[in-house]
Amino acid sequence: MMSFAQAASLVMHRLQELGQVSQSDIHLDRRYLTEEHRQANTLVADWMSDAGMQHWQDAAGNLWGRLAADTPSAPRLIMGSHLDTVPNGGKYDGMLGVLAPVTLAAMCRETGLKLPFHLDVVGFGDEEGTRFGSTLLGSRALTGNWPAQWAGLTDENGISLAQAMAAFGLDFHQVSKAAIDPQTVMGYIELHIEQGPVLEHNHLPVGVVTGIAGARRLEVTVTGFAGHAGTVPMPMRQDSLAAASEMILLVEQLAHAQDLVATVGRIENRPNGVNVIAGKTVFSIDIRSEDDEHRDQVLEQILQGISDIACRRNVQVEHKQTHSAPAVKCAQAFQDILSTAIVQSGYAPLSLPSGAGHDAMAMAQICPVAMLFTRCEKGISHHPGEAIITEDIEASLRVLFETIKQLATTVDAKE
């Protein structure tokens, strides 16, 4: 059997190779149902074969590999993450969570470890939502949650989701075949880079995720009155940009005070002239928390504050929600097993929340979920500067291998 250090080096080598599969010659960009998606599935399928796994592609374009149990009717333990990237992304976001479990499957086979469950590894085709604007398409297919209207989602070239699937050799109307029976699944475990600085700050290679923050996004429109920058006296102005600036600072202040995160990431301003008072300003709000009730209470405070500012500044304000996703709690039983595995592997345990969304959010609709975070340099992600070290991959492999053994013992004890 290869050592954990050798296995980690193999995973890192494969991450570099997979990171070369891109539709751009300048940066990493791999999107759902593209030729590069097909190439990624083919490459990872070859590695699954090397690990002694059966492999197949489902009706949504997700890639699967299975280290089969001796009993065909055995339950399934699913591990995985996504194979798509954001434009100008990094090589580890998502991909680590697919390639590390494939290597774990090889280690299980080499050691003769008999599992009382099928070890299924999935590489989701779409998590980022870059191409069609709706996230978690791959994992949501497993839940049976694919609305008919998604057929008309289009990419930047006007190609619909239904058309892209047909070009990929799939049929939008057959996606329901990708759904899996919750009764057959004992759980889903996702390994992922942290995408934040907490593990690095605590000098730890891995951490157990307690839950995934729920997010709400809004678009706020502030309407004032455009005017000449030199002729309208300051007390008589209805400056939408100045009002929006005060509103944006309020968002930041309340997020600080209420112990959650809120971000204004996009601003549009009209007429946007150097010598014109702004007449219409539009900005986004993204607010997240592990506690949906707390998040919603703070959002109400923000919206009331925005309304008060608009009234005082004599501008009009409207807002509309553009996205809502509930928080997801990771299964406590899995958290406990992962924490024990961390200690038994020689590391200090740390639990932390995830502020970013993951495929585990969709999978939680059909089975218990858990996540293990791997340290990443400076918390950088969705950026070519994304970086991890081989030693932290080794730590992740050790913890997950121990987790699989503990789960096998648990299942055996129940039978």
Side-chain angles (χ1 to χ4, degrees), residues 243-264 285-287 294 298-299 301-303 305-306 309 312:
S245 299
E246 189 174 344
M247 295 169 184
I248 291 166
L249 286 175
L250 175 70
V251 172
E252 182 184 55
Q253 290 163 0
L254 284 175
H256 269 297
Q258 298 291 345
D259 194 28
L260 46 62
V261 293
T263 305
V264 174
I285 298 177
D286 180 307
I287 182 167
H294 177 57
V298 176
L299 179 57
Q301 294 177 36
I302 289 172
L303 294 177
I306 285 175
I309 292 168
R312 175 163 44 80

Side-chain angles (χ1 to χ4, degrees), residues 272-353:
N272 216 37
V274 67
N275 60 349
V276 185
I277 299 164
K280 183 176 182 180
T281 306
V282 181
F283 64 91
S284 64
I285 298 177
D286 180 307
I287 182 167
R288 307 186 188 206
S289 172
E290 271 195 283
D291 185 331
D292 288 341
E293 183 177 357
H294 177 57
R295 177 202 62 199
D296 293 346
Q297 288 173 348
V298 176
L299 179 57
E300 285 304 312
Q301 294 177 36
I302 289 172
L303 294 177
Q304 182 59 55
I306 285 175
S307 178
D308 292 344
I309 292 168
C311 183
R312 175 163 44 80
R313 285 183 167 272
N314 195 27
V315 296
Q316 302 297 313
V317 65
E318 298 177 334
H319 62 82
K320 64 179 181 180
Q321 183 168 283
T322 58
H323 172 79
S324 180
V328 169
K329 298 294 184 183
C330 290
Q332 189 61 53
F334 277 108
Q335 289 187 56
D336 293 344
I337 291 173
L338 284 168
S339 294
T340 300
I342 288 174
V343 173
Q344 292 180 340
S345 299
Y347 309 106
L350 176 71
S351 295
L352 70 167

Side-chain angles (χ1 to χ4, degrees), residues 121-166:
V121 178
V122 59
F124 292 115
D126 176 280
E127 187 258 13
E128 302 289 4
T130 299
R131 184 173 182 187
F132 295 103
S134 188
T135 59
L136 308 178
L137 291 178
S139 48
R140 289 171 74 175
L142 271 58
T143 70
N145 182 22
W146 259 56
Q149 60 266 31
W150 279 2
L153 294 175
T154 57
D155 66 11
E156 60 189 8
N157 297 313
I159 299 172
S160 72
L161 176 55
Q163 290 170 332
M165 292 189 74

Side-chain angles (χ1 to χ4, degrees), residues 107-225:
M107 298 178 77
C108 289
R109 181 177 60 85
E110 289 176 6
T111 57
L113 179 60
K114 291 293 185 181
L115 299 177
F117 48 77
H118 301 301
L119 178 58
D120 287 349
V121 178
V122 59
F124 292 115
D126 176 280
E127 187 258 13
E128 302 289 4
T130 299
R131 184 173 182 187
F132 295 103
S134 188
T135 59
L136 308 178
L137 291 178
S139 48
R140 289 171 74 175
L142 271 58
T143 70
N145 182 22
W146 259 56
Q149 60 266 31
W150 279 2
L153 294 175
T154 57
D155 66 11
E156 60 189 8
N157 297 313
I159 299 172
S160 72
L161 176 55
Q163 290 170 332
M165 292 189 74
F168 201 77
L170 303 171
D171 184 346
F172 180 89
H173 301 291
Q174 299 296 316
V175 171
S176 60
K177 293 182 177 179
I180 58 179
D181 180 1
Q183 300 300 316
T184 66
V185 184
M186 57 185 289
Y188 170 78
I189 300 176
E190 182 168 357
L191 173 67
H192 206 283
I193 61 170
E194 182 192 350
Q195 300 179 285
V198 176
L199 289 173
E200 185 176 66
H201 178 76
N202 286 277
H203 308 290
L204 295 172
V206 292
V208 179
V209 179
T210 56
I212 304 169
R216 289 179 66 183
R217 295 177 190 150
L218 292 87
E219 182 180 85
V220 179
T221 301
V222 184
T223 304
F225 196 86

Side-chain angles (χ1 to χ4, degrees), residues 398-414:
R398 287 182 181 276
V399 170
L400 289 176
F401 190 76
E402 184 61 36
T403 298
I404 289 171
K405 289 197 299 181
Q406 288 189 39
L407 287 170
T409 300
T410 302
V411 172
D412 279 336
K414 290 179 179 179

Side-chain angles (χ1 to χ4, degrees), residues 38 67 108 112 137 148 152 182 211 213-214 216 243 266 326 387 395 397:
R38 190 190 309 277
L67 186 66
C108 289
L137 291 178
R216 289 179 66 183
R266 180 176 58 83
L397 290 171

